[in-house]
Amino acid sequence: MTEGSYRPRMLVTLLLVVASLTSPPMTRPATQPDDWKQAVMQTAGIDVWPSVKRLQFTFVVEFPDGRAMKRTHDWNLADGTATVDGVTIRAWDFDVVNADDAQKSAYSAWINDGYWLLMPLKLDDPGVIFTPVGASRDMPPSRAMVTMTFDDGTGLTPSDAYDLAIDLRRGVVDAWTYRPDETRAITWTWEDYQDFNGLFLATNHVPQDGGPTIRFENIVVERDSD
């Protein structure tokens, strides 16, 4: 998963609120393929992001064999720190040379888990590259697909690629196919979108190819206005 810049000219805002389920805006006209990115970011809450001061969530992985894993995150955007399972790091200026193993693990988890939650808000991050929007005769006009890759040196795994399935009418990504290399690909849904104080985030990712289910619990968002 890629890091990007976690407080770029885009992104999220969170409030001391447990998710209240809302529907995405269904009344606006269908997004045109050439403005899909801005539509997805707007739906996700890009205008709200600059006011976010704290984000908390639990990242949950449920494996096909019944095993499960959870990580708790407490991200203080006001001072640039993130705490993962009790280990606190400087998130934006992480000192990998002097960090111990626990801090390195926390940093990796902060990047990976946060990207699963916030990717639609990070589409304009430096180093993110998109192919032209694709469509086919089999796809309705309200749907499109685009492949996302990264410049060398972007994030921890710049060789990763993702095929994003986009609902143009709703302005959301509703699935992605993760391709760590040319021989492997696994698809997850992006579903159960909920509104967290202005951030519209997918809370459930169901695998289509035998991978683990990934979901989020206990999402709490604090904003400067709270």
Side-chain angles (χ1 to χ4, degrees):
M1 306 300 170
T2 130
E3 171 184 9
S5 58
Y6 258 96
R7 204 179 178 102
R9 52 185 179 276
M10 48 169 48
L11 282 97
V12 192
T13 330
L14 309 118
L15 175 203
L16 289 160
V17 171
V18 182
S20 61
L21 184 60
T22 17
S23 299
M26 299 299 291
T27 56
R28 72 179 179 203
T31 300
Q32 297 302 306
D34 58 355
D35 63 0
W36 71 270
K37 183 168 64 171
Q38 189 61 33
V40 168
M41 291 170 59
Q42 287 294 132
T43 299
I46 194 62
D47 293 338
V48 173
W49 175 251
S51 66
V52 175
K53 62 183 180 182
R54 188 179 184 187
L55 165 61
Q56 297 170 291
F57 62 89
T58 302
F59 178 78
V60 182
V61 182
E62 297 173 339
F63 298 95
D65 63 5
R67 292 179 299 121
M69 180 275 293
K70 293 186 178 183
R71 284 193 288 256
T72 60
H73 290 255
D74 188 350
W75 180 11
N76 187 330
L77 285 80
D79 67 10
T81 62
T83 301
V84 183
D85 285 345
V87 178
T88 300
I89 58 171
R90 296 290 309 173
W92 296 320
D93 52 358
F94 183 68
D95 184 0
V96 67
V97 174
N98 297 308
D100 60 28
D101 288 345
Q103 292 168 328
K104 291 177 182 178
S105 179
Y107 181 64
S108 179
W110 175 70
I111 291 174
N112 178 80
D113 303 358
Y115 204 69
W116 276 97
L117 182 64
L118 306 178
M119 179 275 295
L121 289 161
K122 296 174 61 58
L123 297 174
D124 259 349
D125 274 7
V128 182
I129 304 167
F130 298 98
T131 61
V133 174
S136 71
R137 292 182 179 180
D138 298 329
M139 298 174 71
S142 61
R143 297 201 59 78
M145 181 169 289
V146 65
T147 296
M148 178 172 64
T149 57
F150 308 93
D151 284 334
D152 290 343
T154 299
L156 299 181
T157 53
S159 62
D160 287 351
Y162 299 85
D163 301 320
L164 308 182
I166 306 156
D167 183 332
L168 297 173
R169 185 170 299 278
R170 299 171 65 216
V172 298
V173 172
D174 55 19
W176 74 0
T177 298
Y178 168 53
R179 295 188 285 110
D181 55 49
E182 294 182 355
T183 64
R184 293 181 294 164
I186 185 168
T187 299
W188 281 272
T189 62
W190 281 62
E191 57 185 85
D192 294 338
Y193 276 87
Q194 300 180 33
D195 189 304
F196 301 90
N197 192 31
L199 299 183
F200 198 62
L201 306 175
T203 61
N204 196 23
H205 304 285
V206 179
Q208 307 300 293
D209 307 295
T213 295
I214 294 174
R215 57 185 179 82
F216 291 89
E217 299 176 343
N218 308 317
I219 298 176
V220 176
V221 176
E222 295 181 30
R223 295 168 59 180
D224 291 335
S225 58
D226 299 338

